[in-house]
Amino acid sequence: MRKIIQYMMMALIAVVLASCANDINEESTPTVKSNIHFVVDDFPMFEKPSTRTIGEEDKGKTAWAVGDEICVKLTSKELGTQTATLKYNGVKFEIQDGNSLCYLEGEPVTAYAYYAPNRRWINGSLELKDFNLYGTAEFLEGTCTVHYGDDNYIDISFANVTRNYSRLRIATMPNKPITVSISEYTPAGSSNMIWDQNYALTSDEKGNAYLYGTFDRYAEVTVKYREATLATHTFLQATEKAKSYALDATVISANSAEEIKSAIKQEVADGKTAIRLNLASDAGDNEFKAIREAFENVKSGTIDLTLIGCKEIPANGLNNQSGGLEALKSITLPDVTKIGMNALLFCVDLEEICAPNVSAIDEGAFANCYHLRKVTLGELTDVKGDYEHGDGIFGFDSHSIENIDLELSEKQRIMTKQLIDGRYCWTPTEEPYQRSYDHKSISFLGMTFNSITCGMKFQ
């Protein structure tokens, strides 16, 4: 009987001890706090631009917009590193992709937040999104305050953010692709200077495109639309942190002939010699007449003209046989695919023609341009006129032609001529022109040039 009572007492003690142990374990297990929400303050605007207004003024980003993202990270001893992306829905920022962040109650947590539109979390590290380059977006690190307990939220503030880079606003044509080449430049979010970098950007509806970084002293920036140079600039001093700069790559946009004429005259009156004009794709005789009239009485050989948008220079479009167009020094035609008969006839002070996408040229297009030294053409498939018969595209002055450096598309094929309806017509064969006998002989369309580049240069 005594043993039975002893066993019963031991069993009771074991139950009490087990119960105490469970109570101890329950009290020592910390609570996991999840469903964290975030409170984000206003977007930090760039300060007022340090340069005069160019193009259509744009302050850049001034407030959070739907779809904006903030990359957040939590670190703690027990749970390690957690990352997530917040997205703005027009009212607040919420965690995306079903992710969640949590922490153990009573354990210190460190939070980080980044506004970096061209980056994303990959294995705990902020990496560039596909097809993005450093410098195409801002990189801002906010200040985070974790509120523990029942409130269970994190304050993210960008009010005192430090921008250790500047912003370059490129003012150009609305909604157009441009190429920007930069030397000696440290992009935002990076500590490594890049000696040479090319960016393919598209301007917004106001004609602005942005780059973020530090431009060193003597850094060079070149802006192009296709093959046409819109602006070049050399920084004589390094850009200042948190300052906004503007680069003028604007183009005259005019619809009517009168607007074209007036705009060009104003550019000339302002002392500009590089004039860039955005024309309608179907610009015709009236528009080109306005261009000719606008340059009357302008000093010879002083104007570098770029015509953007138009697909064709019509016959006699810039014909200078009657005089008045001696101002042209160079002409760039990035969108032109056809140049009509006598289009640039007697532009005697013209030194360079750049038409890298032209495929069709008619008789006498460049005839009697006695100072012509460089011509860039696209892949020609339809050429009218023949040098031997006096109506070639460069006329019949062999001395002038032999001074020209000709650059052709690498895809150019050997051309052969035949008489069709009284016109000599050159059409391509299947044989590549590059490294052909004619190429090595510096001959094209029956004419001999100073040099011909088609993938490689012969002279």
Side-chain angles (χ1 to χ4, degrees):
M1 186 66 179
R2 179 187 294 179
K3 288 185 178 182
I4 293 174
I5 293 173
Q6 288 178 343
Y7 288 144
M8 290 176 64
M9 290 295 294
M10 291 174 64
L12 179 61
I13 292 171
V15 170
V16 171
L17 290 175
S19 176
C20 291
N22 287 336
D23 290 342
I24 292 172
N25 288 338
E26 289 176 4
E27 291 176 2
S28 63
T29 301
T31 302
V32 176
K33 305 290 287 186
S34 58
N35 299 321
I36 301 171
H37 63 278
F38 297 83
V39 178
V40 182
D41 67 359
D42 295 336
F43 181 84
M45 291 174 53
F46 253 95
E47 64 179 76
K48 190 175 181 179
S50 60
T51 54
R52 66 183 178 88
T53 300
I54 296 173
E56 187 169 344
E57 186 175 9
D58 190 350
K59 297 178 181 178
K61 188 173 180 64
T62 59
W64 297 116
V66 173
D68 281 348
E69 295 180 344
I70 295 176
C71 298
V72 296
K73 178 172 68 173
L74 298 186
T75 61
S76 62
K77 182 178 179 181
E78 292 296 326
L79 298 182
T81 298
Q82 306 167 70
T83 60
T85 300
L86 311 180
K87 183 172 286 190
Y88 189 60
N89 62 12
V91 178
K92 61 182 179 179
F93 280 90
E94 294 183 321
I95 293 180
Q96 297 299 297
D97 304 325
N99 293 332
S100 63
L101 299 174
C102 59
Y103 62 89
L104 298 180
E105 189 173 30
E107 182 184 26
V109 174
T110 303
Y112 305 87
Y114 305 92
Y115 173 66
N118 60 354
R119 307 195 193 195
R120 62 180 178 177
W121 291 116
I122 298 179
N123 298 325
S125 177
L126 274 180
E127 304 290 345
L128 285 173
K129 295 178 180 177
D130 293 342
F131 311 114
N132 278 258
L133 294 174
Y134 292 112
T136 55
E138 294 218 60
F139 186 88
L140 303 175
E141 182 174 0
T143 301
C144 297
T145 304
V146 182
H147 296 264
Y148 301 98
D150 294 336
D151 291 338
N152 198 30
Y153 71 94
I154 297 176
D155 261 326
I156 299 176
S157 175
F158 291 94
N160 298 312
V161 71
T162 299
R163 283 184 168 98
N164 58 359
Y165 52 86
S166 55
R167 180 182 71 182
L168 179 64
R169 177 173 71 91
I170 301 167
T172 185
M173 302 170 288
N175 303 310
K176 290 290 187 180
I178 59 173
T179 301
V180 184
S181 302
I182 304 176
S183 67
E184 300 181 57
Y185 165 70
T186 304
S190 174
S191 58
N192 299 321
M193 186 182 77
I194 298 175
W195 288 98
D196 292 289
Q197 180 69 63
N198 292 322
Y199 290 96
L201 307 176
T202 300
S203 59
D204 60 24
E205 65 279 359
K206 293 183 178 181
N208 294 306
Y210 294 90
L211 287 173
Y212 302 86
T214 300
F215 299 82
D216 286 4
R217 186 182 184 188
Y218 302 131
E220 295 183 354
V221 181
T222 300
V223 181
K224 289 186 175 183
Y225 168 73
R226 304 187 78 167
E227 292 81 359
T229 299
L230 302 183
T232 57
H233 180 74
T234 300
F235 287 92
L236 299 181
Q237 293 183 345
T239 54
E240 297 181 37
K241 297 177 180 178
K243 286 283 184 82
S244 181
Y245 298 79
L247 179 59
D248 185 1
T250 54
V251 174
I252 301 171
S253 291
N255 297 316
S256 68
E258 281 303 314
E259 288 179 354
I260 292 170
K261 185 176 178 179
S262 175
I264 292 176
K265 282 184 171 292
Q266 186 60 56
E267 293 280 287
V268 173
D270 291 340
K272 293 187 178 181
T273 57
I275 296 180
R276 303 178 291 269
L277 184 61
N278 188 21
L279 299 176
S281 61
D282 59 351
D285 294 338
N286 290 336
E287 289 80 5
F288 283 92
K289 180 182 178 182
I291 294 172
R292 292 197 306 272
E293 292 176 349
F295 285 119
E296 288 179 355
N297 303 318
V298 178
K299 185 178 179 180
S300 298
T302 58
I303 299 298
D304 296 308
L305 179 63
T306 298
L307 301 180
I308 293 169
C310 61
K311 299 296 184 182
E312 179 179 351
I313 308 298
N316 298 305
L318 296 173
N319 185 327
N320 191 43
Q321 193 166 9
S322 299
L325 201 54
E326 290 80 12
L328 286 188
K329 179 183 178 182
S330 72
I331 186 167
T332 302
L333 309 166
D335 297 309
V336 165
T337 58
K338 181 178 180 180
I339 300 176
M341 182 184 296
N342 299 332
L344 289 159
L345 180 69
F346 273 109
C347 287
V348 293
D349 289 285
L350 190 62
E351 297 178 5
E352 181 175 352
I353 299 170
C354 181
N357 292 293
V358 70
S359 59
I361 307 175
D362 288 347
E363 297 94 334
F366 314 132
N368 303 113
C369 297
Y370 299 119
H371 288 90
L372 200 55
R373 293 294 179 269
K374 183 178 180 181
V375 177
T376 301
L377 303 175
E379 182 184 355
L380 298 180
T381 57
D382 180 11
V383 176
K384 301 294 193 302
D386 181 40
Y387 164 74
E388 291 182 351
H389 293 83
D391 62 353
I393 61 173
F394 289 96
F396 57 87
D397 184 350
S398 62
H399 177 71
S400 298
I401 298 171
E402 288 172 355
N403 289 325
I404 296 173
D405 293 314
L406 179 64
E407 185 170 337
L408 301 171
S409 166
E410 292 185 11
K411 298 179 181 179
Q412 183 62 55
R413 291 169 287 170
I414 291 177
M415 307 282 282
T416 58
K417 69 178 178 181
Q418 54 183 322
L419 190 61
I420 302 176
D421 296 330
R423 300 175 76 182
Y424 285 96
C425 303
W426 295 82
T427 54
T429 65
E430 295 299 322
E431 186 178 351
Y433 177 80
Q434 187 176 164
R435 298 180 64 87
S436 66
Y437 175 80
D438 281 354
H439 188 194
K440 295 175 182 177
S441 301
I442 325 173
S443 177
F444 186 65
L445 301 176
M447 296 170 284
T448 301
F449 294 83
N450 183 59
S451 72
I452 298 181
T453 301
C454 181
M456 60 191 308
K457 183 175 182 178
F458 287 100
Q459 61 182 19

